[in-house]
Amino acid sequence: MKKLLITGFQPFDGESVNPALEVAKGLQGKTINGYEVIAREIPVVRFEALKAVQAAIEELQPNAVITIGQAGGRPDITVERVGINIDDFRIPDNKGNQPIDEPVVTGGPVAYWATLPIKKMVANVKAQGIPASVSNSAGTYVCNHLLYGLLHYLTTQGKTAIPAGFIHIPYLPEQMAVRSGKDAQVATMSLDTLLKGFETMIAALD
Ligand code: PCA
């Protein structure tokens, strides 16, 4: 059977959960659209995130790779179009690294396009009554770092036939329930809805 590697980031920025990791765990072991889903947990640490996903690819030899991260404040599921060659961290990563305007890969191309069927994935999610859109920026933090680094790795390894990309997701309702006042008034999406969205996005893969 074909294998789909799904990665979810660990909690960061003071949160006790990361919806990305919850989605990855929720999909682990399922068979969807002829793919066996294998989930891995990724540290929110510059370069270590990338090493973890590269090691998983070498170990599992997946046929497709979907990486997931939390985009706190975004109201919908956003499928990223592009990874850019810059690390410009507003908050330090989980190891205290805070690069300002440093490349992900020195001498690497400016950007790589995600190779997932991004438009079809968004259309599939919306057809389920779940909000989704294409995003043209994964930011300049660890998520973009991972997306760019993953696409650079696959390109330089001659593995561009493996569709790969990144999906940002909203906070979980639980993350707002522990906050108060204006801080709690931020968009969320339930785990059930997120999992339904991911099943239909995986259905968009060839
Ligand atoms: N979101 C962060 C890094 C880890 C995560 O889940 C980001 O958007 O860069």
Side-chain angles (χ1 to χ4, degrees):
M1 201 188 330
K2 288 186 286 187
K3 286 185 202 163
L4 168 63
L5 170 62
I6 293 255
T7 73
F9 275 109
Q10 290 169 348
F12 69 105
D13 197 20
E15 295 293 324
S16 55
V17 293
N18 189 327
L21 187 55
E22 300 310 310
V23 167
K25 285 184 194 160
L27 295 169
Q28 161 63 30
K30 288 198 176 182
T31 299
I32 305 167
N33 185 27
Y35 285 87
E36 178 195 359
V37 179
I38 301 155
R40 287 293 157 90
E41 184 172 331
I42 302 289
V44 185
V45 178
R46 189 175 190 235
F47 299 120
E48 287 182 24
L50 204 43
K51 273 192 206 137
V53 80
Q54 286 172 4
I57 292 169
E58 275 155 32
E59 176 201 332
L60 302 165
Q61 301 288 328
N63 303 87
V65 182
I66 296 178
T67 54
I68 317 172
Q70 163 189 298
R74 285 194 191 172
D76 59 345
I77 293 176
T78 51
V79 184
E80 297 295 345
R81 191 195 295 267
V82 61
I84 60 176
N85 192 12
I86 199 80
D87 284 335
D88 192 12
F89 292 7
R90 183 179 53 84
I91 53 164
D93 70 13
N94 286 352
K95 278 261 174 87
N97 301 305
Q98 194 172 19
I100 305 297
D101 294 339
E102 290 178 32
V104 181
V105 177
T106 304
V110 170
Y112 285 100
W113 303 121
T115 52
L116 295 173
I118 60 170
K119 293 280 173 80
K120 194 175 168 197
M121 290 169 101
V122 167
N124 279 11
V125 177
K126 287 166 74 75
Q128 295 289 317
I130 300 168
S133 58
V134 168
S135 163
N136 296 310
S137 174
T140 58
Y141 192 48
V142 187
C143 291
N144 171 74
H145 175 89
L146 182 66
L147 174 59
Y148 179 90
L150 166 63
L151 295 166
H152 181 77
Y153 167 78
L154 292 173
T155 301
T156 54
Q157 296 290 307
K159 293 182 176 168
T160 49
I162 300 175
F166 195 95
I167 297 171
H168 262 126
I169 57 177
Y171 285 127
L172 294 170
E174 299 88 296
Q175 291 173 279
M176 292 307 106
V178 296
R179 296 188 185 184
S180 312
K182 280 227 157 61
D183 282 352
Q185 294 173 0
V186 183
T188 63
M189 194 177 276
S190 75
L191 185 57
D192 277 356
T193 303
L194 287 165
L195 289 172
K196 200 167 148 194
F198 273 82
E199 296 211 4
T200 186
M201 287 191 278
I202 295 167
L205 298 175
D206 285 336

